[in-house]
Amino acid sequence: MERNASENSGSDQILGGNPIDWDPRSPEVLADQIGAYDRMRKACPVAHSDYLGWSLFRHGDVLQVLGDHETFSNIVSRHPSVPNGMDPPDHTLYRNMIEPYFAPERVAAFEPVFRRIASELVSDLRRNPSCDVIGDFAEPYAVRIQCGFLGWPRTLHIPLLQWVYRNREATLARNTQAMAAVALEFDGHIRSQLELRERAGVDASDDLTTCLLRQRVEGHRLDHSRIVSILRNWTVGELGTIAACVGIILHFLAEHRDVQDRLRRDRSLRPQAIEEILRLDGPLISNRRVVTRKVAMGGRMFEAGDRITVIWASANRDDAAFADAKRFNLERDQSQSLLYGAGIHVCPGAQLARMQLRVVLDELLDGLEPFALFSGSKPVRAVYPASGFSSLFLAPG
């Protein structure tokens, strides 16, 4: 449960010398994560918990962390994470290696593939309008476009989605044994794809996974463990966040018929609308950092080794960064948005994600009649570490 700022006194429970200001896994927080983060941003913007370490809720504090990788390290796990879980100079080396995979011309080449997938799913939605659009549309879209991007077979669609569910459960429970097991399971899926391409040799399919197998860094081919780490980072982020984005956008448009009608009339407004909807209701809740040296922030003192959690879903709703931040504004300047991060770890696939979301929104608005929320079933919000919705039903509106 959250605590008010006035409660941060000597009477607070202490863990390892730090007060416990809130419980990110309390029923109150999980029932309304966005609302809870809004309250924490005002009452206790730098808060400690045994689950997340220090959590930062203000836009300015989050931006400070993102811009100072020397004080706030991305090496947060004992397992290799390429390049997300690296600091310079290793991060620079591998970041420069992966950037071309998200070059504009490469991203543009996949648009017809993603549009076909979205169109097929919208057709299914028209035939079965009473379906749960999270499990039957948003999640299948995310897994199918990711497999299409990497050149993976359809046989992986269901196993990957099942893996996402198990990973979320293990993360929320902080069950380290289960987290290790699901990590090994995911690595197995990737290694099987690498081995297929190794055996095929020059006849291997010409896709991004094969390109990574042939990739060289400083004159040497990447070993499988590095490739697995890269593909894990790309895929885990893609499956969770794209599905969350689609659900958040559909929910918002179902609730705001005026915006939905305006976007149907004017396609040029759709990219800006996507950015603003996702600023209001973030598809990615948080990221981690580790403090490397003693530093003060928001009246609290961090020590080397302390864990930091930057709460994206709160920072993008901060009135100090966005005027009237909780109001939808189609003309809003998005330059301060942290939807895709900031600093040296800004999302390399931002333009890919933007295209994927624009494509699916085009197909939804062009292929479906006006829609609203289904009155017979209340939307169910996802819980940490996921965002968006776990269940959502629409109806003609």
PDB file of all heavy atoms in Angstrom, residues 300-332:
ATOM      1  N   ARG A 300      16.561  12.302  -0.843  1.00  0.00           N
ATOM      2  CA  ARG A 300      16.962  10.977  -0.366  1.00  0.00           C
ATOM      3  C   ARG A 300      18.409  10.728  -0.806  1.00  0.00           C
ATOM      4  O   ARG A 300      18.880  11.240  -1.819  1.00  0.00           O
ATOM      5  CB  ARG A 300      16.056   9.876  -0.928  1.00  0.00           C
ATOM      6  CG  ARG A 300      14.568  10.168  -0.887  1.00  0.00           C
ATOM      7  CD  ARG A 300      14.011  10.393   0.519  1.00  0.00           C
ATOM      8  NE  ARG A 300      13.858   9.185   1.288  1.00  0.00           N
ATOM      9  CZ  ARG A 300      12.717   8.488   1.366  1.00  0.00           C
ATOM     10  NH1 ARG A 300      11.647   8.852   0.665  1.00  0.00           N
ATOM     11  NH2 ARG A 300      12.640   7.420   2.120  1.00  0.00           N
ATOM     12  N   MET A 301      19.107   9.909  -0.045  1.00  0.00           N
ATOM     13  CA  MET A 301      20.503   9.609  -0.347  1.00  0.00           C
ATOM     14  C   MET A 301      20.628   8.158  -0.817  1.00  0.00           C
ATOM     15  O   MET A 301      20.194   7.231  -0.140  1.00  0.00           O
ATOM     16  CB  MET A 301      21.369   9.809   0.893  1.00  0.00           C
ATOM     17  CG  MET A 301      22.857   9.586   0.634  1.00  0.00           C
ATOM     18  SD  MET A 301      23.547  10.764  -0.582  1.00  0.00           S
ATOM     19  CE  MET A 301      23.477  12.285   0.373  1.00  0.00           C
ATOM     20  N   PHE A 302      21.215   7.984  -2.010  1.00  0.00           N
ATOM     21  CA  PHE A 302      21.456   6.649  -2.548  1.00  0.00           C
ATOM     22  C   PHE A 302      22.914   6.285  -2.313  1.00  0.00           C
ATOM     23  O   PHE A 302      23.812   7.122  -2.451  1.00  0.00           O
ATOM     24  CB  PHE A 302      21.184   6.604  -4.052  1.00  0.00           C
ATOM     25  CG  PHE A 302      19.813   7.060  -4.471  1.00  0.00           C
ATOM     26  CD1 PHE A 302      19.611   7.586  -5.734  1.00  0.00           C
ATOM     27  CD2 PHE A 302      18.733   6.964  -3.617  1.00  0.00           C
ATOM     28  CE1 PHE A 302      18.354   8.010  -6.142  1.00  0.00           C
ATOM     29  CE2 PHE A 302      17.465   7.379  -4.005  1.00  0.00           C
ATOM     30  CZ  PHE A 302      17.280   7.905  -5.272  1.00  0.00           C
ATOM     31  N   GLU A 303      23.123   5.011  -2.029  1.00  0.00           N
ATOM     32  CA  GLU A 303      24.472   4.488  -1.845  1.00  0.00           C
ATOM     33  C   GLU A 303      24.837   3.591  -3.024  1.00  0.00           C
ATOM     34  O   GLU A 303      23.967   3.042  -3.702  1.00  0.00           O
ATOM     35  CB  GLU A 303      24.552   3.672  -0.551  1.00  0.00           C
ATOM     36  CG  GLU A 303      24.162   4.438   0.700  1.00  0.00           C
ATOM     37  CD  GLU A 303      25.196   5.493   1.108  1.00  0.00           C
ATOM     38  OE1 GLU A 303      26.356   5.402   0.631  1.00  0.00           O
ATOM     39  OE2 GLU A 303      24.842   6.376   1.908  1.00  0.00           O
ATOM     40  N   ALA A 304      26.134   3.429  -3.261  1.00  0.00           N
ATOM     41  CA  ALA A 304      26.591   2.529  -4.320  1.00  0.00           C
ATOM     42  C   ALA A 304      26.006   1.140  -4.094  1.00  0.00           C
ATOM     43  O   ALA A 304      26.031   0.617  -2.979  1.00  0.00           O
ATOM     44  CB  ALA A 304      28.117   2.468  -4.340  1.00  0.00           C
ATOM     45  N   GLY A 305      25.443   0.561  -5.153  1.00  0.00           N
ATOM     46  CA  GLY A 305      24.823  -0.748  -5.062  1.00  0.00           C
ATOM     47  C   GLY A 305      23.316  -0.710  -4.892  1.00  0.00           C
ATOM     48  O   GLY A 305      22.647  -1.742  -5.052  1.00  0.00           O
ATOM     49  N   ASP A 306      22.765   0.468  -4.576  1.00  0.00           N
ATOM     50  CA  ASP A 306      21.311   0.574  -4.438  1.00  0.00           C
ATOM     51  C   ASP A 306      20.617   0.337  -5.778  1.00  0.00           C
ATOM     52  O   ASP A 306      21.124   0.728  -6.843  1.00  0.00           O
ATOM     53  CB  ASP A 306      20.918   1.963  -3.920  1.00  0.00           C
ATOM     54  CG  ASP A 306      21.093   2.103  -2.418  1.00  0.00           C
ATOM     55  OD1 ASP A 306      21.401   1.086  -1.763  1.00  0.00           O
ATOM     56  OD2 ASP A 306      20.910   3.220  -1.906  1.00  0.00           O
ATOM     57  N   ARG A 307      19.446  -0.288  -5.721  1.00  0.00           N
ATOM     58  CA  ARG A 307      18.642  -0.522  -6.921  1.00  0.00           C
ATOM     59  C   ARG A 307      17.716   0.672  -7.165  1.00  0.00           C
ATOM     60  O   ARG A 307      17.103   1.181  -6.240  1.00  0.00           O
ATOM     61  CB  ARG A 307      17.808  -1.801  -6.779  1.00  0.00           C
ATOM     62  CG  ARG A 307      18.622  -3.073  -6.729  1.00  0.00           C
ATOM     63  CD  ARG A 307      17.720  -4.288  -6.542  1.00  0.00           C
ATOM     64  NE  ARG A 307      17.014  -4.250  -5.279  1.00  0.00           N
ATOM     65  CZ  ARG A 307      15.715  -4.464  -5.138  1.00  0.00           C
ATOM     66  NH1 ARG A 307      14.952  -4.710  -6.196  1.00  0.00           N
ATOM     67  NH2 ARG A 307      15.146  -4.437  -3.939  1.00  0.00           N
ATOM     68  N   ILE A 308      17.621   1.066  -8.426  1.00  0.00           N
ATOM     69  CA  ILE A 308      16.755   2.169  -8.837  1.00  0.00           C
ATOM     70  C   ILE A 308      15.739   1.632  -9.843  1.00  0.00           C
ATOM     71  O   ILE A 308      16.086   0.869 -10.753  1.00  0.00           O
ATOM     72  CB  ILE A 308      17.568   3.300  -9.519  1.00  0.00           C
ATOM     73  CG1 ILE A 308      18.610   3.869  -8.566  1.00  0.00           C
ATOM     74  CG2 ILE A 308      16.640   4.395 -10.037  1.00  0.00           C
ATOM     75  CD1 ILE A 308      18.061   4.715  -7.459  1.00  0.00           C
ATOM     76  N   THR A 309      14.491   2.036  -9.687  1.00  0.00           N
ATOM     77  CA  THR A 309      13.449   1.707 -10.661  1.00  0.00           C
ATOM     78  C   THR A 309      12.867   3.010 -11.187  1.00  0.00           C
ATOM     79  O   THR A 309      12.300   3.792 -10.410  1.00  0.00           O
ATOM     80  CB  THR A 309      12.334   0.862 -10.033  1.00  0.00           C
ATOM     81  OG1 THR A 309      12.892  -0.314  -9.451  1.00  0.00           O
ATOM     82  CG2 THR A 309      11.315   0.452 -11.095  1.00  0.00           C
ATOM     83  N   VAL A 310      13.038   3.266 -12.471  1.00  0.00           N
ATOM     84  CA  VAL A 310      12.443   4.461 -13.075  1.00  0.00           C
ATOM     85  C   VAL A 310      11.043   4.087 -13.559  1.00  0.00           C
ATOM     86  O   VAL A 310      10.863   3.127 -14.297  1.00  0.00           O
ATOM     87  CB  VAL A 310      13.306   5.035 -14.217  1.00  0.00           C
ATOM     88  CG1 VAL A 310      14.640   5.513 -13.690  1.00  0.00           C
ATOM     89  CG2 VAL A 310      13.536   4.017 -15.319  1.00  0.00           C
ATOM     90  N   ILE A 311      10.056   4.850 -13.118  1.00  0.00           N
ATOM     91  CA  ILE A 311       8.659   4.543 -13.427  1.00  0.00           C
ATOM     92  C   ILE A 311       8.210   5.383 -14.619  1.00  0.00           C
ATOM     93  O   ILE A 311       7.763   6.515 -14.477  1.00  0.00           O
ATOM     94  CB  ILE A 311       7.743   4.793 -12.213  1.00  0.00           C
ATOM     95  CG1 ILE A 311       8.283   4.081 -10.962  1.00  0.00           C
ATOM     96  CG2 ILE A 311       6.324   4.333 -12.521  1.00  0.00           C
ATOM     97  CD1 ILE A 311       8.223   2.566 -11.006  1.00  0.00           C
ATOM     98  N   TRP A 312       8.376   4.812 -15.817  1.00  0.00           N
ATOM     99  CA  TRP A 312       7.995   5.522 -17.040  1.00  0.00           C
ATOM    100  C   TRP A 312       6.531   5.959 -16.994  1.00  0.00           C
ATOM    101  O   TRP A 312       6.187   7.065 -17.423  1.00  0.00           O
ATOM    102  CB  TRP A 312       8.147   4.619 -18.266  1.00  0.00           C
ATOM    103  CG  TRP A 312       9.437   3.930 -18.469  1.00  0.00           C
ATOM    104  CD1 TRP A 312       9.678   2.596 -18.354  1.00  0.00           C
ATOM    105  CD2 TRP A 312      10.690   4.510 -18.865  1.00  0.00           C
ATOM    106  NE1 TRP A 312      10.985   2.319 -18.647  1.00  0.00           N
ATOM    107  CE2 TRP A 312      11.632   3.456 -18.957  1.00  0.00           C
ATOM    108  CE3 TRP A 312      11.101   5.812 -19.137  1.00  0.00           C
ATOM    109  CZ2 TRP A 312      12.946   3.674 -19.328  1.00  0.00           C
ATOM    110  CZ3 TRP A 312      12.429   6.034 -19.497  1.00  0.00           C
ATOM    111  CH2 TRP A 312      13.328   4.978 -19.594  1.00  0.00           C
ATOM    112  N   ALA A 313       5.671   5.066 -16.523  1.00  0.00           N
ATOM    113  CA  ALA A 313       4.230   5.308 -16.556  1.00  0.00           C
ATOM    114  C   ALA A 313       3.832   6.492 -15.690  1.00  0.00           C
ATOM    115  O   ALA A 313       2.744   7.035 -15.850  1.00  0.00           O
ATOM    116  CB  ALA A 313       3.482   4.060 -16.112  1.00  0.00           C
ATOM    117  N   SER A 314       4.698   6.896 -14.772  1.00  0.00           N
ATOM    118  CA  SER A 314       4.452   8.086 -13.961  1.00  0.00           C
ATOM    119  C   SER A 314       5.108   9.321 -14.576  1.00  0.00           C
ATOM    120  O   SER A 314       4.493  10.385 -14.655  1.00  0.00           O
ATOM    121  CB  SER A 314       4.992   7.880 -12.546  1.00  0.00           C
ATOM    122  OG  SER A 314       4.973   9.092 -11.818  1.00  0.00           O
ATOM    123  N   ALA A 315       6.352   9.190 -15.010  1.00  0.00           N
ATOM    124  CA  ALA A 315       7.113  10.344 -15.517  1.00  0.00           C
ATOM    125  C   ALA A 315       6.404  11.040 -16.670  1.00  0.00           C
ATOM    126  O   ALA A 315       6.426  12.271 -16.780  1.00  0.00           O
ATOM    127  CB  ALA A 315       8.503   9.896 -15.945  1.00  0.00           C
ATOM    128  N   ASN A 316       5.764  10.272 -17.528  1.00  0.00           N
ATOM    129  CA  ASN A 316       5.097  10.854 -18.693  1.00  0.00           C
ATOM    130  C   ASN A 316       3.764  11.518 -18.354  1.00  0.00           C
ATOM    131  O   ASN A 316       3.109  12.064 -19.245  1.00  0.00           O
ATOM    132  CB  ASN A 316       4.871   9.779 -19.769  1.00  0.00           C
ATOM    133  CG  ASN A 316       5.995   9.749 -20.777  1.00  0.00           C
ATOM    134  OD1 ASN A 316       6.808  10.670 -20.851  1.00  0.00           O
ATOM    135  ND2 ASN A 316       6.052   8.698 -21.566  1.00  0.00           N
ATOM    136  N   ARG A 317       3.367  11.477 -17.093  1.00  0.00           N
ATOM    137  CA  ARG A 317       2.126  12.130 -16.659  1.00  0.00           C
ATOM    138  C   ARG A 317       2.422  13.263 -15.666  1.00  0.00           C
ATOM    139  O   ARG A 317       1.533  13.713 -14.942  1.00  0.00           O
ATOM    140  CB  ARG A 317       1.195  11.091 -16.019  1.00  0.00           C
ATOM    141  CG  ARG A 317       0.679  10.057 -17.006  1.00  0.00           C
ATOM    142  CD  ARG A 317       0.007   8.876 -16.300  1.00  0.00           C
ATOM    143  NE  ARG A 317      -1.091   9.281 -15.443  1.00  0.00           N
ATOM    144  CZ  ARG A 317      -2.340   9.464 -15.864  1.00  0.00           C
ATOM    145  NH1 ARG A 317      -2.633   9.293 -17.154  1.00  0.00           N
ATOM    146  NH2 ARG A 317      -3.289   9.818 -15.025  1.00  0.00           N
ATOM    147  N   ASP A 318       3.655  13.727 -15.659  1.00  0.00           N
ATOM    148  CA  ASP A 318       4.105  14.740 -14.714  1.00  0.00           C
ATOM    149  C   ASP A 318       3.772  16.133 -15.242  1.00  0.00           C
ATOM    150  O   ASP A 318       4.233  16.525 -16.318  1.00  0.00           O
ATOM    151  CB  ASP A 318       5.615  14.587 -14.500  1.00  0.00           C
ATOM    152  CG  ASP A 318       6.139  15.421 -13.349  1.00  0.00           C
ATOM    153  OD1 ASP A 318       5.444  16.364 -12.918  1.00  0.00           O
ATOM    154  OD2 ASP A 318       7.264  15.142 -12.892  1.00  0.00           O
ATOM    155  N   ASP A 319       2.984  16.889 -14.473  1.00  0.00           N
ATOM    156  CA  ASP A 319       2.619  18.246 -14.891  1.00  0.00           C
ATOM    157  C   ASP A 319       3.824  19.162 -15.001  1.00  0.00           C
ATOM    158  O   ASP A 319       3.759  20.195 -15.683  1.00  0.00           O
ATOM    159  CB  ASP A 319       1.611  18.854 -13.900  1.00  0.00           C
ATOM    160  CG  ASP A 319       0.221  18.254 -14.054  1.00  0.00           C
ATOM    161  OD1 ASP A 319      -0.245  18.148 -15.201  1.00  0.00           O
ATOM    162  OD2 ASP A 319      -0.385  17.891 -13.031  1.00  0.00           O
ATOM    163  N   ALA A 320       4.929  18.828 -14.344  1.00  0.00           N
ATOM    164  CA  ALA A 320       6.128  19.652 -14.452  1.00  0.00           C
ATOM    165  C   ALA A 320       6.758  19.551 -15.835  1.00  0.00           C
ATOM    166  O   ALA A 320       7.516  20.440 -16.245  1.00  0.00           O
ATOM    167  CB  ALA A 320       7.149  19.223 -13.390  1.00  0.00           C
ATOM    168  N   ALA A 321       6.441  18.487 -16.573  1.00  0.00           N
ATOM    169  CA  ALA A 321       6.987  18.302 -17.920  1.00  0.00           C
ATOM    170  C   ALA A 321       5.939  18.531 -19.009  1.00  0.00           C
ATOM    171  O   ALA A 321       6.282  18.898 -20.130  1.00  0.00           O
ATOM    172  CB  ALA A 321       7.570  16.894 -18.059  1.00  0.00           C
ATOM    173  N   PHE A 322       4.661  18.304 -18.672  1.00  0.00           N
ATOM    174  CA  PHE A 322       3.580  18.423 -19.652  1.00  0.00           C
ATOM    175  C   PHE A 322       2.433  19.223 -19.033  1.00  0.00           C
ATOM    176  O   PHE A 322       1.871  18.814 -18.019  1.00  0.00           O
ATOM    177  CB  PHE A 322       3.064  17.032 -20.058  1.00  0.00           C
ATOM    178  CG  PHE A 322       4.127  16.102 -20.567  1.00  0.00           C
ATOM    179  CD1 PHE A 322       4.739  15.203 -19.709  1.00  0.00           C
ATOM    180  CD2 PHE A 322       4.523  16.137 -21.893  1.00  0.00           C
ATOM    181  CE1 PHE A 322       5.722  14.349 -20.165  1.00  0.00           C
ATOM    182  CE2 PHE A 322       5.510  15.275 -22.358  1.00  0.00           C
ATOM    183  CZ  PHE A 322       6.110  14.385 -21.496  1.00  0.00           C
ATOM    184  N   ALA A 323       2.104  20.338 -19.663  1.00  0.00           N
ATOM    185  CA  ALA A 323       1.005  21.156 -19.166  1.00  0.00           C
ATOM    186  C   ALA A 323      -0.292  20.358 -19.181  1.00  0.00           C
ATOM    187  O   ALA A 323      -0.621  19.713 -20.181  1.00  0.00           O
ATOM    188  CB  ALA A 323       0.858  22.412 -20.030  1.00  0.00           C
ATOM    189  N   ASP A 324      -1.012  20.409 -18.060  1.00  0.00           N
ATOM    190  CA  ASP A 324      -2.282  19.674 -17.943  1.00  0.00           C
ATOM    191  C   ASP A 324      -2.069  18.233 -18.402  1.00  0.00           C
ATOM    192  O   ASP A 324      -2.732  17.732 -19.310  1.00  0.00           O
ATOM    193  CB  ASP A 324      -3.349  20.374 -18.783  1.00  0.00           C
ATOM    194  CG  ASP A 324      -4.757  19.995 -18.363  1.00  0.00           C
ATOM    195  OD1 ASP A 324      -4.896  19.259 -17.369  1.00  0.00           O
ATOM    196  OD2 ASP A 324      -5.710  20.405 -19.045  1.00  0.00           O
ATOM    197  N   ALA A 325      -1.121  17.569 -17.757  1.00  0.00           N
ATOM    198  CA  ALA A 325      -0.566  16.305 -18.243  1.00  0.00           C
ATOM    199  C   ALA A 325      -1.586  15.181 -18.375  1.00  0.00           C
ATOM    200  O   ALA A 325      -1.419  14.292 -19.208  1.00  0.00           O
ATOM    201  CB  ALA A 325       0.574  15.848 -17.330  1.00  0.00           C
ATOM    202  N   LYS A 326      -2.638  15.205 -17.586  1.00  0.00           N
ATOM    203  CA  LYS A 326      -3.598  14.098 -17.620  1.00  0.00           C
ATOM    204  C   LYS A 326      -4.678  14.291 -18.687  1.00  0.00           C
ATOM    205  O   LYS A 326      -5.568  13.443 -18.817  1.00  0.00           O
ATOM    206  CB  LYS A 326      -4.231  13.908 -16.249  1.00  0.00           C
ATOM    207  CG  LYS A 326      -3.226  13.532 -15.160  1.00  0.00           C
ATOM    208  CD  LYS A 326      -3.913  13.351 -13.820  1.00  0.00           C
ATOM    209  CE  LYS A 326      -2.887  13.172 -12.708  1.00  0.00           C
ATOM    210  NZ  LYS A 326      -2.057  14.365 -12.505  1.00  0.00           N
ATOM    211  N   ARG A 327      -4.592  15.381 -19.429  1.00  0.00           N
ATOM    212  CA  ARG A 327      -5.579  15.647 -20.478  1.00  0.00           C
ATOM    213  C   ARG A 327      -5.026  15.226 -21.834  1.00  0.00           C
ATOM    214  O   ARG A 327      -3.873  15.487 -22.147  1.00  0.00           O
ATOM    215  CB  ARG A 327      -5.933  17.139 -20.509  1.00  0.00           C
ATOM    216  CG  ARG A 327      -6.988  17.516 -21.559  1.00  0.00           C
ATOM    217  CD  ARG A 327      -7.353  18.987 -21.451  1.00  0.00           C
ATOM    218  NE  ARG A 327      -6.245  19.845 -21.826  1.00  0.00           N
ATOM    219  CZ  ARG A 327      -5.982  20.220 -23.094  1.00  0.00           C
ATOM    220  NH1 ARG A 327      -6.748  19.799 -24.093  1.00  0.00           N
ATOM    221  NH2 ARG A 327      -4.964  21.016 -23.352  1.00  0.00           N
ATOM    222  N   PHE A 328      -5.847  14.563 -22.646  1.00  0.00           N
ATOM    223  CA  PHE A 328      -5.475  14.208 -24.011  1.00  0.00           C
ATOM    224  C   PHE A 328      -5.422  15.469 -24.856  1.00  0.00           C
ATOM    225  O   PHE A 328      -6.366  16.247 -24.909  1.00  0.00           O
ATOM    226  CB  PHE A 328      -6.489  13.230 -24.603  1.00  0.00           C
ATOM    227  CG  PHE A 328      -6.227  12.864 -26.039  1.00  0.00           C
ATOM    228  CD1 PHE A 328      -5.299  11.885 -26.352  1.00  0.00           C
ATOM    229  CD2 PHE A 328      -6.908  13.502 -27.068  1.00  0.00           C
ATOM    230  CE1 PHE A 328      -5.049  11.544 -27.677  1.00  0.00           C
ATOM    231  CE2 PHE A 328      -6.671  13.168 -28.388  1.00  0.00           C
ATOM    232  CZ  PHE A 328      -5.741  12.191 -28.696  1.00  0.00           C
ATOM    233  N   ASN A 329      -4.290  15.690 -25.508  1.00  0.00           N
ATOM    234  CA  ASN A 329      -4.096  16.882 -26.338  1.00  0.00           C
ATOM    235  C   ASN A 329      -3.423  16.449 -27.632  1.00  0.00           C
ATOM    236  O   ASN A 329      -2.229  16.149 -27.659  1.00  0.00           O
ATOM    237  CB  ASN A 329      -3.237  17.912 -25.601  1.00  0.00           C
ATOM    238  CG  ASN A 329      -2.986  19.165 -26.422  1.00  0.00           C
ATOM    239  OD1 ASN A 329      -3.438  19.280 -27.567  1.00  0.00           O
ATOM    240  ND2 ASN A 329      -2.251  20.108 -25.861  1.00  0.00           N
ATOM    241  N   LEU A 330      -4.189  16.436 -28.704  1.00  0.00           N
ATOM    242  CA  LEU A 330      -3.683  15.948 -29.981  1.00  0.00           C
ATOM    243  C   LEU A 330      -2.613  16.851 -30.559  1.00  0.00           C
ATOM    244  O   LEU A 330      -1.832  16.425 -31.412  1.00  0.00           O
ATOM    245  CB  LEU A 330      -4.850  15.812 -30.962  1.00  0.00           C
ATOM    246  CG  LEU A 330      -4.679  14.911 -32.182  1.00  0.00           C
ATOM    247  CD1 LEU A 330      -4.097  13.562 -31.799  1.00  0.00           C
ATOM    248  CD2 LEU A 330      -6.012  14.732 -32.893  1.00  0.00           C
ATOM    249  N   GLU A 331      -2.547  18.087 -30.078  1.00  0.00           N
ATOM    250  CA  GLU A 331      -1.534  19.026 -30.581  1.00  0.00           C
ATOM    251  C   GLU A 331      -0.330  19.129 -29.642  1.00  0.00           C
ATOM    252  O   GLU A 331       0.528  19.994 -29.830  1.00  0.00           O
ATOM    253  CB  GLU A 331      -2.156  20.424 -30.757  1.00  0.00           C
ATOM    254  CG  GLU A 331      -3.065  20.571 -31.973  1.00  0.00           C
ATOM    255  CD  GLU A 331      -4.390  19.831 -31.823  1.00  0.00           C
ATOM    256  OE1 GLU A 331      -5.007  19.960 -30.735  1.00  0.00           O
ATOM    257  OE2 GLU A 331      -4.800  19.116 -32.754  1.00  0.00           O
ATOM    258  N   ARG A 332      -0.231  18.258 -28.671  1.00  0.00           N
ATOM    259  CA  ARG A 332       0.830  18.370 -27.675  1.00  0.00           C
ATOM    260  C   ARG A 332       2.220  18.132 -28.273  1.00  0.00           C
ATOM    261  O   ARG A 332       2.407  17.249 -29.120  1.00  0.00           O
ATOM    262  CB  ARG A 332       0.596  17.358 -26.549  1.00  0.00           C
ATOM    263  CG  ARG A 332       1.540  17.561 -25.357  1.00  0.00           C
ATOM    264  CD  ARG A 332       1.345  16.496 -24.303  1.00  0.00           C
ATOM    265  NE  ARG A 332       0.011  16.483 -23.725  1.00  0.00           N
ATOM    266  CZ  ARG A 332      -0.390  17.296 -22.756  1.00  0.00           C
ATOM    267  NH1 ARG A 332       0.433  18.214 -22.284  1.00  0.00           N
ATOM    268  NH2 ARG A 332      -1.631  17.208 -22.279  1.00  0.00           N
TER     269      ARG A 332
END
